[in-house]
Amino acid sequence: MKRSGPLLTLLGGLVLALVMLSLNATTGTRATSSSTRNDPPPASVSPSPSPTRASPSPSPTPTPPADADYAGRTDDDSAAIAVSLRDGKAVAYFCDGRDKESWLKGDVEDDGGMKLTSKDGGELNGTLKGRSVRGTVDIGGQEYAFTADRTVKPSGLYRATANVRGAEVDGGWIVLPDGRQVGILKRDGKPSAAPEIDPETGAVTVDGQRLTARPVTP
């Protein structure tokens, strides 16, 4: 009985050693298997960037010609013409100061072009460039080339209508940049040279009656 103690201890140690050896062998195999499959991770594929489309530049908003007044002479110096522009509209007056006149009106394009017409068949074709309106006006079958420069008050276009001594009076005046005046006054439709107005106030006396000629705009 005394000898069985050490023998059992030896057997227990042997069994423990076998168990440890078995565990080490198993752990080594798994480690080897794990290390053998140490493949690099798959490379990530980034999606190709979509082509960038350039945004179209916004078209500039057309700007209508600025409100202004223009006055000048025909190229042959036989008549005067005035043009008044407001909000894309225009009114013009052609006058030779004796017996030929015409009031014309129409639209002004964004590029400065204009085609104005009158009730008596007159037609004005012009273009605003810089500080001048250049073009032609056809009155009574005759064409006149003209240039009207931008002007400031008191130069410009004026008109007065009234009943004077039982007659219908209709007067039109162009005050040129140099101060000269060209106008026609009709009494019941009969034309004659118009008396001068006071360009500062528009005052004018017709057959003893005081009238006021006012600036004309579309």
Side-chain angles (χ1 to χ4, degrees):
M1 295 295 293
K2 291 182 180 180
R3 292 182 180 179
S4 62
L7 182 58
L8 292 175
T9 300
L10 180 61
L11 289 174
L14 181 60
V15 170
L16 180 61
L18 290 173
V19 171
M20 293 299 294
L21 181 61
S22 176
L23 289 175
N24 287 339
T26 302
T27 303
T29 302
R30 289 180 179 175
T32 301
S33 175
S34 175
S35 62
T36 303
R37 298 184 59 186
N38 189 21
D39 298 330
S44 60
V45 179
S46 300
S48 300
S50 301
T52 302
R53 294 182 179 179
S55 300
S57 301
S59 300
T61 302
T63 303
D67 296 348
D69 297 309
Y70 302 82
R73 304 281 300 183
T74 56
D75 289 0
D76 62 6
D77 203 34
S78 65
I81 189 163
V83 183
S84 178
L85 274 61
R86 297 292 186 278
D87 299 325
K89 303 288 185 180
V91 60
Y93 181 53
F94 170 92
C95 175
D96 68 358
R98 297 180 300 276
D99 56 9
K100 188 179 293 186
E101 68 170 1
S102 184
W103 292 91
L104 310 102
K105 62 182 179 179
D107 296 328
V108 182
E109 303 297 332
D110 292 335
D111 62 0
M114 64 188 78
K115 181 177 181 179
L116 315 182
T117 57
S118 67
K119 293 180 180 179
D120 55 13
E123 183 175 302
L124 181 152
N125 290 281
T127 303
L128 170 62
K129 289 185 178 180
R131 299 179 61 84
S132 299
V133 177
R134 293 185 175 90
T136 60
V137 58
D138 189 322
I139 303 296
Q142 185 171 353
E143 186 175 86
Y144 302 83
F146 72 89
T147 298
D149 296 324
R150 187 167 181 170
T151 187
V152 295
K153 300 300 181 187
S155 298
L157 179 56
Y158 296 83
R159 192 173 192 176
T161 58
N163 188 294
V164 178
R165 299 183 183 276
E168 292 295 328
V169 171
D170 185 0
W173 290 265
I174 297 172
V175 180
L176 296 167
D178 61 6
R180 289 182 296 164
Q181 297 185 21
V182 181
I184 286 180
L185 184 74
K186 287 183 176 179
R187 297 174 177 86
D188 289 335
K190 297 179 180 180
S192 62
E196 288 195 359
I197 64 172
D198 180 346
E200 297 294 337
T201 63
V204 60
T205 300
V206 177
D207 298 338
Q209 184 171 325
R210 188 180 181 87
L211 305 179
T212 300
R214 303 188 183 281
V216 177
T217 58

